Amino acid sequence: MAGFILRRVLWMIPSLLAVSFLAFFLIQLPPGDYVTTYVATLAASNEIVDQRTAAELRDRFGLNQPFIVQYWLWISGILLRGDFGLSFEWQQPVSGLIWERMGLTLLLTTSTLLLTWAIALPIGVLSAVRQYSFADYVFTFIAFLGLAIPSFLLALVLMYVAVVYLGQDVSGLFSEAYQTAPWSLAKVQDLLAHLWVPVTILAVNGTAGLIRVMRANMLDELHRPYVVTARAKGLSEFRLLLKYPVRLAINPLVSTIGWMLPQLISGATIVAVVMSLPIAGPLLLQALMAQDMYLAGAFLLLMCTLTLVGMLLSDILLALIDPRIRFD
Amino acid sequence: MDQPLTTAAAPELKPADQRLAVASQWRLMWWSFRRHRLAMLGGIIVLFLYLVAAVPGFFAMNEPGRQNARAVFHPPQALHWIDTAEDGSWRFRPHVQAMRMVRDPVTLAPSFRPDGTRKIYLTFFARGYEHNLVGLVPSTTHLLGPENPRDQVYLLGADRLGRCVYSRMMVAAQTSLLIGLAGVFLSLVIGLLLGGISGYYGGRIDFFVQRVIEFVLSLPTIPIWLALAAALPQNWPPERIYLTITVILSLVGWAQLARVVRGRFLSLRTEDFVTAARLDGVSEKRIIFRHMLPSFASHIIASVTLAIPAMILAETALSFLGLGLQPPVISWGVLLREAQNIRSIATAPWLFAPGGAVVLAVLALNFLGDGLRDAADPYQK
């Protein structure tokens, strides 16, 4: 087991390296650099920046070094000093801007993951056990609908319903009073009171897919001889289900945590823009638009790292509950 | 086992079974697909949607880009098919209730009231603005339009510039559905190439390609797409942005298809019928094209169908965020941008309509793909 985990963790190193290259490549991609944008913004408000000042700015930010040197400066700063560089737009270190938002992103995605499982597992089992029943058809239909509705559209519709029919604003994660307040118990309560709306919206998409997978897995297991044996022994139907087929059907599902995380982060990014949630997505979008490269890079890097770590955890979890995997 | 075993001739096949015994694989698939009702329904809707995509101007009613200051946030007009006269007689004559704009005397805010009992009659194959059929043949005929060309009808209302939401939705269908097809086609080319190489050569190359696929699959797509799309210069012409966005979508979307291709390739290589053909001395080329491809293609078609909705959703999301297609190109995502802030949808909830089109297209393609996947393996019960 330890060997498996060690091998798996070692595999993370090339992936992380690739991710960091990718993130840096992506933020280098736009033509021009931050100084170009900066000069253009100033020019729009009738301030002229002469060539020398622009060159000095480039020098100061190291923008005229070759790609690989800039990459090295960037990644070594992150690894050795936890320094993600300077946000040009905010004129402050990136590390001061990202951690709270990344923390909230993590909170949002993990709560969504938990809710998704809590809804999808029982429904999946029910749909399989009562295959072709009325409930099965209803849930199958809802599941397909959930797959087809883009989460941002769902968020928009929900916000519309809340504003027009309930007279409530469901956007954001905090009430106005707590937006800039330091963390306190009251603020956490406020967060929880707001969190459930985006969590529910995001869970709809994931749940739909998961119900289908769980249903299919259960259907594969339900007609196995060991189920018949257990039933013949006189085990109650409920205990029988939980004790054998569910435990087996859940294995392939654990591996889906890995690929659900990238989807969740993707979905959360766009829902957050619609609902103006203070998580990574909206600030990433803003940074990308303003070519605030180090800020965008930090978010890209951390978001990708988050999904890679999720993959790692789901692999390890799978190996823990399914001994066949370990000895591959 | 109530019949004694004999060495007599095989039992006579019933006519239906006889038909089954000699049917080609594609025919079996068609039979199996036809049994899947939802998939049939999905297929019909998909066909219809692509018909709209082929001749959007024919289905549209008003010129999609035309602004009308007197129709800002004009509400949708319900379409009535049966016209009842005052004496109680009725006949089939499609019409809508005419609307009139009135201004609030104090705030001057415009609002729309039914214009007495005036009806605007609609006619099939009406004359209207000029458009191109399949982008080639100029035409002024529209499926449905007002009898009097000077009347304005907004079946799904108008947006903040008084543009017809229904007509824009029809035209946007072309962009959104084609970008789905084109993106999937590009993904398929990359996927077939890498998946095929991986499955064919195996060994070290396979291992490497596998890791690359896993890596791409583990990336959160939307942030990557956003970063790529943000890199496009603002001053590019819309057509060029359109093409580049398609490429960007497939750059991340190919991994899933490559995995399917590789998996099928590997499992087919060891199938009994392939081994049998090889032992019979069939050439490698004939094995691939006559024996492997038919059972291979059906799965690929199914996966491709299931990949199109993902592309459509991705384009919608990107354009919605303002990093995808740019006006004057209109897609469902571009149209949904109008519904972005809560204030405009509170006054004009019909701006959600393009979202309905997205959901319909994605649902139909999913059902179709599901049915195709089940039908792809007609021998499996």
Side-chain angles (χ1 to χ4, degrees), chain A residues 11 19 31 156 160 266 270 274 307-308, chain B residues 218 221-222 231 317 320 339 345 349:
Chain A
W11 258 117
V19 155
L156 271 174
Y160 168 75
S266 280
I270 179 161
V274 173
T307 59
L308 283 180
Chain B
S218 70
T221 47
I222 293 267
F320 176 76
I345 47 174

Side-chain angles (χ1 to χ4, degrees), chain A residues 11 15 18-19 22 26 29-31 144-145 148 150 152-153 156 159-160 163 262 266 270 273-274 285 288 300 307-308 311, chain B residues 207 215 218-224 226-228 231 313 316-317 320-321 323 339-340 342 345-346 349 352 355 362-363 367 370:
Chain A
W11 258 117
S15 301
V19 155
L22 180 74
L26 284 176
L29 209 51
F144 268 114
L145 211 59
F152 70 89
L153 196 66
L156 271 174
M159 279 165 69
Y160 168 75
V163 166
S266 280
I270 179 161
V273 173
V274 173
L285 184 66
L288 283 171
L300 282 174
T307 59
L308 283 180
M311 288 268 179
Chain B
F207 181 80
F215 176 71
S218 70
L219 297 175
T221 47
I222 293 267
I224 305 285
L226 285 180
L228 282 170
L313 284 177
T316 310
F320 176 76
L321 288 180
L323 282 174
Q340 206 168 30
I342 194 80
I345 47 174
F352 278 132
V362 172
L363 261 184
F367 282 139
D370 234 38

Side-chain angles (χ1 to χ4, degrees), chain A residues 31-139:
Chain A
D33 50 34
Y34 172 72
V35 175
T36 327
T37 326
Y38 180 68
V39 171
T41 337
L42 284 187
S45 54
N46 284 328
E47 265 184 75
I48 308 299
V49 182
D50 60 65
Q51 290 292 318
R52 230 186 54 216
T53 326
E56 268 172 19
L57 275 173
R58 286 212 171 83
D59 242 18
R60 204 170 82 209
F61 297 134
L63 291 178
N64 40 13
Q65 311 262 19
F67 176 84
I68 197 74
V69 176
Q70 286 196 49
Y71 169 75
W72 172 247
L73 287 175
W74 181 68
I75 198 72
S76 61
I78 293 172
L79 289 178
L80 302 177
R81 299 184 298 277
D83 172 17
F84 284 85
L86 189 76
S87 163
F88 303 130
E89 212 192 355
W90 295 69
Q91 289 298 327
Q92 54 170 300
V94 167
S95 45
L97 292 164
I98 48 175
W99 290 117
E100 189 172 308
R101 280 174 179 262
M102 279 314 290
L104 286 173
T105 309
L106 191 62
L107 176 73
L108 186 68
T109 38
T110 26
S111 355
T112 309
L113 205 61
L114 291 179
L115 183 70
T116 311
W117 275 64
I119 303 173
L121 278 194
I123 292 183
V125 172
L126 182 79
S127 294
V129 173
R130 302 253 179 280
Q131 197 189 6
Y132 302 133
S133 68
F134 179 69
D136 182 28
Y137 279 120
V138 170
F139 286 129

Side-chain angles (χ1 to χ4, degrees), chain A residues 193-208:
Chain A
H194 282 83
L195 191 64
W196 68 270
V197 183
V199 165
T200 316
I201 290 170
L202 284 172
V204 168
N205 264 280
T207 310

Side-chain angles (χ1 to χ4, degrees), chain B residues 231-242:
Chain B
L232 301 186
Q234 303 277 316
N235 51 5
W236 273 13
E239 299 78 30
R240 196 151 155 207
I241 296 215
Y242 187 121

Side-chain angles (χ1 to χ4, degrees), chain B residues 35-293:
Chain B
R35 274 202 300 274
H36 204 311
R37 295 250 175 73
L38 272 176
M40 281 296 278
L41 182 69
I44 292 168
I45 296 177
V46 168
L47 276 182
F48 172 73
L49 286 173
Y50 275 97
L51 180 70
V52 173
V55 285
F58 174 69
F59 287 91
M61 199 176 271
N62 301 310
E63 213 172 324
R66 190 170 149 202
Q67 307 181 0
N68 183 352
R70 299 195 53 80
V72 171
F73 290 135
H74 190 296
Q77 287 160 295
L79 184 60
H80 303 280
W81 296 103
I82 306 292
D83 185 27
T84 337
E86 270 164 27
D87 57 2
S89 67
W90 60 271
R91 63 191 182 120
F92 177 80
R93 201 175 175 199
H95 64 274
V96 297
Q97 169 75 54
M99 301 288 248
R100 196 158 44 96
M101 187 176 77
V102 284
R103 285 200 185 273
D104 186 294
V106 184
T107 63
L108 293 182
S111 64
F112 290 86
R113 298 266 163 72
D115 186 2
T117 52
R118 195 166 83 86
K119 292 168 180 169
I120 298 176
Y121 290 102
L122 303 175
T123 158
F124 286 102
F125 305 107
R127 299 237 153 264
Y129 77 93
E130 189 174 308
H131 59 94
N132 283 325
L133 294 175
V134 209
L136 297 171
V137 191
S139 155
T140 53
T141 314
H142 297 263
L143 178 64
L144 198 64
E147 275 177 3
N148 179 353
R150 270 182 305 181
D151 280 328
Q152 295 283 326
V153 173
Y154 300 96
L155 286 182
L156 286 174
D159 63 5
R160 72 192 153 82
L161 294 173
R163 293 172 298 192
C164 173
V165 172
Y166 165 77
S167 303
R168 286 169 73 74
M169 223 168 91
M170 295 294 128
V171 176
Q174 184 171 46
T175 324
S176 290
L177 292 171
L178 282 189
I179 215 166
L181 270 192
V184 165
F185 179 74
L186 268 179
S187 305
L188 185 65
V189 172
I190 309 177
L192 274 178
L193 204 68
L194 285 177
I197 288 174
S198 184
Y200 190 81
Y201 287 105
R204 219 169 256 210
I205 297 177
D206 181 38
F207 181 80
F208 179 72
V209 176
Q210 276 284 87
R211 294 289 90 74
V212 174
I213 291 178
E214 266 169 30
F215 176 71
V216 174
L217 281 179
S218 70
L219 297 175
T221 47
I222 293 267
I224 305 285
W225 271 325
L226 285 180
L228 282 170
L232 301 186
Q234 303 277 316
N235 51 5
W236 273 13
E239 299 78 30
R240 196 151 155 207
I241 296 215
Y242 187 121
L243 279 177
T244 325
I245 292 284
T246 318
V247 174
I248 287 177
L249 289 182
S250 45
L251 269 184
V252 188
W254 61 272
Q256 201 76 44
L257 281 172
R259 202 156 76 155
V260 176
V261 171
R262 174 187 168 274
R264 291 303 301 169
F265 221 98
L266 282 183
S267 69
L268 274 179
R269 256 194 347 187
T270 52
E271 279 287 344
D272 287 345
F273 67 86
V274 174
T275 318
R278 194 162 283 140
L279 289 177
D280 263 355
V282 180
S283 74
E284 196 71 14
K285 199 172 120 194
R286 198 174 152 80
I287 289 181
I288 291 181
F289 286 101
R290 191 80 187 88
H291 297 273
M292 283 171 88
L293 206 63

